[in-house]
C-alpha cells in the first residue's frame, strides 16, 4: 500500500532497526490466554471462574497515548512502546532471535525484491487467536 516505505528502507539501511521495531509494534504476533481461577469483575465486565480471558498484546502498540498516530508505520518513530515480546521477567526468551529473523527478512526483501504492491482486487486477510496470522497476502510487481 505504501511504496514510499519500501523505497525509504531500500535507500536507508540505517532505518532497518526502526523498521524492525515498527513491524513488531504494528503487527504483533502473539496473545496471552488465561483461565480465570475465580469470579471477578474487570472494567465493569463480570468474568466467571473457568472462563478464558485473552490478553491481546499487540493492542498496547496501537494505543495513541503510548504511540501517537499508531496506525501509521514510521521507521523513525521515537520512544515507541509495545508489549509484543512481553516485559520484565515475562519477556520472551526468543525475542532477540525473532528480531534477528525480521532483520534478515527486511534486508533480503528490500535488497532483492522489486517494488511490489498488494494485488489489485485483493486485500490481506488475517486471523487472530493465541497467534495472529496472515492468511492471505497476494503481491504483484512489474517485470524487470
Amino acid at each position: 500500500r505504501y511504496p514510499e516505505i519500501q523505497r525509504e528502507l531500500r535507500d536507508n539501511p540505517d532505518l532497518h532497526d526502526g523498521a524492525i521495531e515498527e513491524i513488531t509494534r504494528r503487527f504483533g504476533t502473539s496473545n496471552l490466554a488465561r483461565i480465570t481461577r475465580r469470579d471477578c469483575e474487570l472494567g465493569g465486565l463480570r468474568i466467571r471462574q473457568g472462563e478464558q480471558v485473552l490478553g491481546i498484546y499487540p493492542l498496547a502498540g496501537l494505543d495513541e497515548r503510548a504511540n501517537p498516530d499508531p496506525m501509521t508505520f514510521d521507521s523513525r518513530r521515537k520512544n515507541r512502546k509495545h508489549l509484543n515480546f512481553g516485559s520484565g521477567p515475562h519477556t520472551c526468551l526468543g525475542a532477540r532471535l525473532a528480531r534477528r529473523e525480521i532483520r534478515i527478512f527486511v534486508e533480503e526483501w528490500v535488497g532483492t525484491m522489486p517494488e511490489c504492491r498488494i494485488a489489485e482486487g485483493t486485500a490481506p486477510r488475517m486471523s487472530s487467536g493465541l497467534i495472529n496470522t496472515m492468511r492471505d497476502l497476494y503481491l504483484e510487481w512489474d517485470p524487470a
Side-chain angles (χ1 to χ4, degrees):
R1 291 187 182 141
Y2 305 101
E4 64 277 6
I5 294 173
Q6 293 177 61
R7 276 181 250 141
E8 182 177 60
L9 292 176
R10 188 173 291 112
D11 296 341
N12 301 291
D14 58 311
L15 294 177
H16 289 184
D17 285 339
I20 291 162
E21 288 307 308
E22 198 66 353
I23 289 166
T24 303
R25 179 196 68 78
R26 181 65 183 83
F27 304 103
T29 56
S30 63
N31 298 307
L32 180 69
R34 293 290 186 259
I35 304 296
T36 55
R37 294 175 60 181
R38 63 185 187 297
D39 290 354
C40 60
E41 188 174 305
L42 179 64
L45 178 68
R46 184 177 166 92
I47 304 170
R48 291 186 170 80
Q49 179 181 347
E51 290 183 326
Q52 185 177 47
V53 175
L54 184 65
I56 305 172
Y57 275 157
L59 290 179
L62 301 180
D63 184 341
E64 63 271 353
R65 295 168 298 181
N67 298 296
D69 193 16
M71 299 304 283
T72 297
F73 185 93
D74 181 2
S75 297
R76 292 181 167 90
R77 185 182 299 272
K78 302 289 185 215
N79 303 315
R80 73 178 57 78
K81 295 178 180 88
H82 63 80
L83 296 173
N84 291 321
F85 294 121
S87 65
H90 302 286
T91 298
C92 174
L93 290 174
R96 292 183 74 172
L97 175 61
R99 284 181 171 102
R100 183 67 185 142
E101 290 174 335
I102 297 168
R103 170 178 283 290
I104 291 167
F105 172 79
V106 167
E107 289 173 350
E108 292 298 318
W109 185 269
V110 301
T112 60
M113 288 296 294
E115 191 172 293
C116 62
R117 60 194 164 273
I118 295 172
E120 191 171 328
T122 71
R125 193 169 59 108
M126 311 282 285
S127 65
S128 294
L130 285 178
I131 301 295
N132 300 320
T133 306
M134 175 78 65
R135 293 281 186 208
D136 296 309
L137 175 63
Y138 296 98
L139 299 176
E140 62 185 15
W141 51 88
D142 298 323

